[in-house]
Amino acid sequence: MASDSATDKASLPFSEQHYFSSYDHFGIHEEMLKDQVRTLSYRQAILKNKSLFKDKIVLDVGCGTGILSLFAAQAGAKHVIAVDMSNIIEMAQKIVDLNGYSDKITLVRGKLEDVKLPYPEVDIIISEWMGYFLLYESMLDTVLYARDHFLKKGGLIFPDKATMRIAAIEDGHYKDDKIHYWENVYGFDYSPFIDIAMCEPLVDIVENTAVATTSALLTEIDINTVKIEDLAFFTKFKLKAVRDDQIHGLVAWFDIWFPCDEEKNRVYFSTGPHANYTHWKQTVVYLDQVLDVKKDEEIEFTLANRPNAVNPRELDIEVNWDLKVDDEYRSTKGKYNYFMR
């Protein structure tokens, strides 16, 4: 049976109550389960590496409906501890019981930082912690807590590597629809909404044909060693135009890697415009200028990302750009602040 911790959702700050309550609903879990890139990547990473799971104690951080716990038990884990704060854990218990894994999986309801686990340490941590823009509303802080407090020395984390990449896009039609729409709303000037629309990153599908530059690495995270303070980052990068075009915004995505017993069993997936659909889609920010670029010209950027001071599950992002070309009419620089709320 699932055990309850002393953590009461009502005792948490409102932002935390809102976060955990959002996972009470069936729909979000349906969307994640039906994301085949996400779910099949985890299944392959676990079942292709059964030797790593055989007779091991596994901790599933933020277990949701329990699908990763079931994969781990199926791979031969000695026991799986599945922890979640949301009400969905009640359904997870029914699923575990129905599928005959009650003796292999113990569900614990509560905030991981507050619960008492049935084992003092674990061999493997599994978690699907990634959020939009990788770090928005993500559970990585909790995964790192689990790593530092429960993982045996030499233990494994699934997944254990993540990178974020970024490129520039031509997206004039969509930008007009999202931003310039507010200039004339049924004959009225709604332009005060433009700043709101501009500063909020857009989570949507970007066609690979819209990508007009090379991509650059924003950050690389080794979950075995990263510290919470490292998740705020500042990156300088250059993007080179792959054709003559106009640049309206930036698109960001992340890539994920899992541990393996041998290289042929390595599992990786990408959430970029070039890859198959995932529920994370991509994250787009629009510039408040249009950059006219010629093939092979470079744009210099800096991007600063940090957790919001009031609600660390939210992100504050600052982007600076500088297009230096011989044509003074095209040379330009700018800066904009974005807020993922």
Side-chain angles (χ1 to χ4, degrees), residues 316-334:
D316 297 340
I317 303 166
E318 180 185 292
V319 177
N320 290 261
W321 59 90
D322 190 357
L323 174 62
K324 299 175 183 176
V325 293
D326 293 335
D327 183 348
E328 63 178 294
Y329 295 102
R330 292 192 298 114
S331 289
T332 185
K333 62 173 60 178

Side-chain angles (χ1 to χ4, degrees), residues 76-319:
K78 178 180 178 180
H79 205 87
V80 183
I81 311 158
V83 181
D84 205 294
M85 183 70 184
S86 71
N87 292 336
I88 199 67
I89 201 168
E90 296 172 11
M91 291 301 296
Q93 183 68 69
K94 294 179 180 180
I95 299 302
V96 166
D97 294 343
L98 183 63
N99 286 275
Y101 284 100
S102 304
D103 60 333
K104 289 287 187 180
I105 301 173
T106 297
L107 291 103
V108 179
R109 182 172 181 176
K111 193 175 180 182
L112 183 85
E113 292 84 350
D114 300 329
V115 300
K116 181 175 177 59
L117 301 185
Y119 292 87
E121 56 182 9
V122 301
D123 302 291
I124 297 174
I125 293 171
I126 55 176
S127 181
E128 194 274 81
W129 54 266
M130 298 82 75
Y132 301 132
F133 197 65
L134 184 62
L135 299 172
Y136 174 67
E137 279 198 344
S138 82
M139 297 189 304
L140 185 52
D141 289 14
T142 302
V143 173
L144 300 186
Y145 180 92
R147 177 198 69 189
D148 295 340
H149 289 79
F150 301 118
L151 188 63
K152 287 182 180 178
K153 186 176 181 180
L156 299 174
I157 306 174
F158 278 67
D160 65 344
K161 298 269 191 319
T163 60
M164 295 180 66
R165 299 195 68 83
I166 195 164
I169 57 173
E170 184 286 316
D171 201 24
H173 178 75
Y174 207 97
K175 183 180 179 183
D176 284 344
D177 185 59
K178 176 178 169 60
I179 307 299
H180 298 297
Y181 163 80
W182 299 106
E183 295 171 356
N184 184 344
V185 180
Y186 301 102
F188 296 99
D189 184 352
Y190 270 51
S191 57
F193 276 101
I194 289 177
D195 285 343
I196 297 172
M198 276 289 299
C199 72
E200 184 176 308
L202 177 69
V203 176
D204 208 343
I205 299 168
V206 175
E207 296 295 333
N208 200 35
T209 54
V211 178
T213 68
T214 56
S215 69
L217 181 69
L218 273 183
T219 190
E220 186 171 6
I221 299 174
D222 183 341
I223 303 166
N224 298 294
T225 57
V226 71
K227 298 177 181 177
I228 288 177
E229 54 266 30
D230 299 332
L231 302 181
F233 60 84
F234 175 85
T235 305
K236 295 181 179 180
F237 57 96
K238 294 180 181 180
L239 300 178
K240 180 184 287 189
V242 297
R243 59 179 181 261
D244 294 359
D245 213 334
Q246 291 186 321
I247 302 300
H248 298 95
L250 299 172
V251 58
W253 66 92
F254 60 85
D255 301 337
I256 297 293
W257 286 263
F258 295 84
C260 58
D261 54 7
E262 50 184 312
E263 198 57 38
K264 69 177 183 178
N265 294 327
R266 175 83 59 193
V267 173
Y268 147 88
F269 72 87
S270 176
T271 65
H274 57 282
N276 291 331
Y277 168 86
T278 73
H279 77 282
W280 291 287
K281 304 175 186 177
Q282 292 88 42
T283 302
V284 174
V285 295
Y286 289 110
L287 310 182
D288 64 350
Q289 302 173 348
V290 178
L291 310 185
D292 288 300
V293 295
K294 303 296 184 184
K295 184 178 179 181
D296 294 331
E297 288 180 345
E298 289 188 329
I299 313 166
E300 297 179 358
F301 289 90
T302 64
L303 187 148
N305 172 75
R306 65 185 66 87
N308 178 260
V310 176
N311 181 0
R313 293 192 185 275
E314 300 176 345
L315 299 176
D316 297 340
I317 303 166
E318 180 185 292
V319 177

